[in-house]
Amino acid sequence: MKKILEAISEEMKKAFADAGYDEELGKVTLSNRPDLCEYQCNGAMAGAKRYHKAPIAIAGEVAEQLKDSPVFSQAEAAAPGFLNLKLSDDFLCTYLKEMQACDKFGMEAPDKEKTIIVDYGGPNVAKPLHVGHLRSAVIGESIKRIARFAGFRVIGDIHMGDWGLQMGLIITELQERKPELVYFQEDYTGEYPKEPPFTITEMEEIYPTASRKSKEDPVYKEKAMENTFKIQQGVRGHRALWEHIMNVSVTDMKRIYDKLNVEFDLWNGESTVQYLLADMVEGMKKGGYAHESEGALVVDVKEESDTREIPPCIILKSDGAALYSTTDLATISERVTKYDPDSMIYITDKRQAMHFEQVFRCARKTKLIGEDVKLVHIGFGTVNGKDGKPFKTRDGGVPKLEKLITDIDEEMLRKILESRQDMSEEEARKIADIVGLAALKYGDLSNQAAKDYSFDIDRFTSFEGDTGPYILYTIVRIKSILAKYQEQGGTLENTQLSPAVSPDEKALMMEIAKFNTMMEAAFTECAPHKVCAYIYDLANAFNRFYHETKIIAEEDEAKKAGLIALLVLTREVLETCIDLLGFSAPDRM
Ligand code: ARG
């Protein structure tokens, strides 16, 4: 269905045409002066020169055409030539009814099936998830959901770092501690045990120990590199250990991503595309794209129009080893073959911007990907502490992701118990987990991705202001009014929206009507913060309306049913939006 601005502009264009002017002048925008009008059109000013007429005269003629318009209750010419507009209550009501009747409130799917791959999460196997992994997971999940809502086939891929030195380090430390393990016996030909020779807790201790040792001891580091090489060469015992590390680590990652309500369709990683590397590199050499530079194999990716230095994309290091960019290139190639995507969206720290610029250019230049496939990198900023510096634990360490989640949930629990003495601790805890997730995700997503923000538990968990709990509180309020209405014998199914009777009711309806415009922008710009800004405005509009309006106490039954219908629609829109952000609302809080 048409977006509200399109629908209104259509009426305005007709009026311009009927008054004898070019209909293209009839573009309507939101008002710059909300005190005077809801929408405005500046077409008369734009047309003045062309028609050699004072803008106010043109505006007056157009306004005349709109006197009996079903769309506008007011269309006034104002000096020097604006058209100040107010929507008719009937038109607005009809528009919302259509939104409600349509699937996805009228947001239209693309004409033909299109596929988007969202590459997000990006954890490194064997290392615990930390604060640095929060944003990719939260923003990526939301972008994936928004694209799905927009009617695309969307595949979310976690793209793990599962092929690097960290795997060799763990094996080296294991070998020091338990050299007798069968994995290290070169002449062993039997089956390896199904059970891993370590637990997740041990692994999380082994990795930092090994990493520290390798920094202090060159011989240890040499061993770790050799072990990494052995995994990559496919030495049986090493591969079996690699599988164990993967299983233990992935099980734990799933548990934490689950807490974040983040779900991946593909659990691929750097290891997934190893089988493609040799041929890909060969192809780049044969095609004349790759050349040697200081012993390394590189592809030049700078372009004449560049205003900054873009270094060549390195394909192989001088020792012949593949790099991060090599696996990313092979991954692009694999995705093209397997899924034929129309676009790929990567969500990482913005400090990786140059890496993706090089990889994207290289993929196009070497024809791994056609011109028609869009490659997008969404780079996010840093999570800071309240002091504006990267967020650290009290002792200066990197905070673990799981701990951040627990801290927020605990604070939420404290706040809920404080305000709801009637609630059992058990119920409060369940609710705190739901609201805590909203606090965490909204706290992150309400910021433009590229900007840094400060992780402020106290602010994020507040029931007031631009926060997740405030949004949920509003939804819960609506749910409880609707429940009361039903308890008193009302049914929600056959209530009908009716035209607004108060300014606050109209303001609420106008916010709802903006949904499609907002969604299109959130999708095309990969911008979940637009969904946040929208629901914050919508929640405010609802709460203003709620404070000024009798709902349950309304005596006129027909009027009451109309108000209830508006509540139902408001709740549906809010719940749809929070689902797109990746969290949900409890029934009470
Ligand atoms: N593992 C990488 C890191 O820790 C992130 C992976 C992002 N995705 C990608 N296709 N490169 O930085």
Side-chain angles (χ1 to χ4, degrees):
M1 83 183 259
K2 285 190 199 86
K3 293 190 276 297
I4 185 101
L5 276 175
E6 288 168 0
I8 311 174
S9 293
E10 207 160 81
E11 177 78 355
M12 187 53 79
K13 285 181 176 167
K14 209 165 95 269
F16 267 87
D18 289 347
Y21 300 102
D22 186 350
E23 63 161 31
E24 285 312 310
L25 297 170
K27 220 180 128 244
V28 176
T29 57
L30 267 177
S31 161
N32 289 332
R33 288 287 305 272
D35 53 325
L36 294 180
C37 57
E38 296 157 357
Y39 293 94
Q40 68 185 55
C41 171
N42 303 346
M45 251 115 64
K49 216 164 169 194
R50 192 158 127 207
Y51 293 103
H52 305 290
K53 228 183 207 176
I56 189 74
I58 300 179
E61 287 167 43
V62 174
E64 188 58 30
Q65 297 292 333
L66 291 168
K67 244 182 15 211
D68 303 315
S69 161
V71 175
F72 301 111
S73 61
Q74 176 201 303
E76 262 173 21
F82 295 114
L83 278 153
N84 288 348
L85 308 165
K86 282 190 182 160
L87 282 193
S88 100
D89 293 317
D90 281 332
F91 171 78
L92 182 57
C93 179
T94 311
Y95 187 84
L96 292 199
K97 278 187 182 160
E98 194 182 336
M99 272 180 78
Q100 194 160 36
C102 282
D103 188 28
K104 299 181 176 173
F105 306 114
M107 180 157 187
E108 279 168 28
D111 317 332
K112 69 173 189 58
E113 191 183 75
K114 286 194 169 173
T115 301
I116 299 178
I117 295 180
V118 185
D119 179 314
Y120 67 112
N124 295 321
V125 172
K127 304 185 194 177
L129 293 171
H130 57 74
V131 54
H133 295 106
L134 175 68
R135 301 204 71 188
S136 181
V138 168
I139 298 170
E141 181 69 20
S142 180
I143 289 178
K144 182 186 79 180
R145 289 170 181 233
I146 291 171
R148 242 174 227 162
F149 186 87
F152 289 74
R153 169 184 177 234
V154 190
I155 302 167
D157 182 5
I158 187 167
H159 199 82
M160 291 177 281
D162 56 3
W163 206 236
L165 183 63
Q166 79 267 30
M167 308 300 251
L169 280 167
I170 290 185
I171 294 183
T172 307
E173 187 56 25
L174 266 178
Q175 199 166 16
E176 301 257 306
R177 295 182 189 189
K178 303 181 186 170
E180 72 286 358
L181 285 177
V182 51
Y183 304 91
F184 301 118
Q185 294 167 16
E186 272 168 35
D187 50 0
Y188 183 77
T189 52
E191 289 217 1
Y192 291 108
K194 294 255 177 311
E195 284 301 307
F198 47 79
T199 63
I200 179 72
T201 324
E202 280 163 341
M203 193 174 84
E204 286 190 350
E205 176 268 317
I206 290 176
Y207 171 71
T209 308
S211 167
R212 183 177 43 77
K213 283 191 184 171
S214 81
K215 278 178 200 136
E216 290 161 0
D217 177 359
V219 179
Y220 191 96
K221 180 160 188 195
E222 191 58 41
K223 267 192 214 153
M225 282 166 53
E226 205 178 292
N227 280 325
T228 311
F229 189 69
K230 281 187 180 166
I231 303 172
Q232 298 177 349
Q233 290 306 300
V235 173
R236 267 185 83 235
H238 280 65
R239 277 312 275 265
L241 279 174
W242 178 84
E243 301 269 354
H244 284 313
I245 301 173
M246 286 296 282
N247 288 337
V248 169
S249 186
V250 166
T251 308
D252 197 55
M253 282 178 193
K254 284 197 172 143
R255 187 179 62 79
I256 296 170
Y257 282 121
D258 209 38
K259 285 191 178 188
L260 282 176
N261 202 9
V262 166
E263 244 175 32
F264 300 95
D265 304 297
L266 300 177
W267 281 79
N268 289 346
E270 295 175 4
S271 69
T272 311
V273 292
Q274 292 305 315
Y275 74 102
L276 285 172
L277 295 190
D279 283 352
M280 182 185 80
V281 172
E282 208 39 49
M284 289 184 180
K285 282 194 207 156
K286 277 213 188 100
Y289 303 116
H291 65 89
E292 246 182 65
S293 167
E294 296 166 37
L297 188 70
V298 306
V299 173
D300 291 322
V301 291
K302 61 173 190 283
E303 286 161 14
E304 249 170 56
S305 56
D306 288 341
T307 52
R308 56 189 177 136
E309 173 79 16
I310 311 281
C313 185
I314 307 178
I315 309 297
L316 295 177
K317 289 198 290 190
S318 49
D319 64 2
L323 301 92
Y324 186 40
S325 34
T326 326
T327 48
D328 261 334
L329 287 162
T331 304
I332 289 179
S333 166
E334 198 203 37
R335 287 176 181 161
V336 168
T337 320
K338 277 201 172 150
Y339 307 105
D340 189 22
D342 295 275
S343 63
M344 293 182 215
I345 305 173
Y346 296 76
I347 294 102
T348 77
D349 190 305
K350 66 182 173 196
R351 283 171 292 187
Q352 294 196 23
M354 180 58 89
H355 163 77
F356 284 105
E357 183 67 47
Q358 292 170 307
V359 166
F360 292 171
R361 287 185 183 199
C362 182
R364 288 211 201 281
K365 182 170 180 181
T366 59
K367 310 255 183 308
L368 292 180
I369 201 165
E371 286 303 324
D372 52 332
V373 185
K374 242 173 77 184
L375 295 168
V376 183
H377 175 234
I378 304 289
F380 53 78
T382 310
V383 180
N384 286 330
K386 280 203 231 170
D387 57 359
K389 297 199 190 101
F391 193 42
K392 291 268 155 62
T393 55
R394 276 212 193 94
D395 55 12
V398 184
K400 289 206 183 151
L401 186 50
E402 192 169 12
K403 179 80 169 52
L404 291 187
I405 303 172
T406 333
D407 285 354
I408 286 241
D409 288 353
E410 286 305 316
E411 178 58 14
M412 219 54 255
L413 177 65
R414 200 187 63 71
K415 284 193 175 149
I416 290 175
L417 284 174
E418 201 176 72
S419 61
R420 295 293 305 251
Q421 270 98 11
D422 58 320
M423 233 181 232
S424 72
E425 167 132 12
E426 196 196 342
E427 185 183 7
R429 191 165 280 281
K430 270 195 201 127
I431 294 173
D433 288 356
I434 301 175
V435 186
L437 186 64
L440 179 67
K441 287 191 154 184
Y442 192 95
D444 187 309
L445 292 169
S446 54
N447 301 282
Q448 218 170 311
K451 295 209 172 122
D452 302 346
Y453 72 85
S454 55
F455 194 83
D456 183 343
I457 293 196
D458 201 40
R459 186 167 67 76
F460 289 1
T461 56
S462 168
F463 292 111
E464 277 151 45
D466 191 5
T467 70
Y470 170 68
I471 304 291
L472 296 194
Y473 191 77
T474 307
I475 296 175
V476 167
R477 169 174 276 168
I478 300 177
K479 283 189 184 182
S480 90
I481 305 169
L482 294 178
K484 206 174 263 166
Y485 181 70
Q486 284 172 300
E487 270 164 35
Q488 295 177 356
T491 50
L492 304 183
E493 286 67 38
N494 36 29
T495 54
Q496 280 274 345
L497 285 164
S498 47
V501 291
S502 72
D504 290 315
E505 186 179 3
K506 185 174 188 189
L508 173 59
M509 293 173 92
M510 299 249 298
E511 279 307 325
I512 296 177
K514 288 180 194 160
F515 176 83
N516 286 310
T517 313
M518 176 284 293
M519 274 308 294
E520 189 176 277
F523 169 67
T524 49
E525 296 164 38
C526 294
H529 73 276
K530 299 213 158 172
V531 181
C532 293
Y534 172 75
I535 54 177
Y536 182 51
D537 287 347
L538 181 56
N540 282 334
F542 172 77
N543 286 314
R544 272 192 294 269
F545 157 77
Y546 169 78
H547 286 296
E548 296 303 322
T549 317
K550 283 194 294 187
I551 301 173
I552 292 296
E554 174 58 57
E555 280 135 29
D556 180 336
E557 280 304 322
K559 198 170 159 197
K560 186 167 171 179
L563 295 172
I564 292 294
L566 182 57
L567 260 61
V568 171
L569 181 57
T570 308
R571 187 202 60 195
E572 280 170 4
V573 172
L574 284 172
E575 288 205 302
T576 300
C577 288
I578 62 170
D579 185 56
L580 295 174
L581 298 173
F583 56 88
S584 60
D587 289 325
R588 55 187 216 129
M589 65 190 264

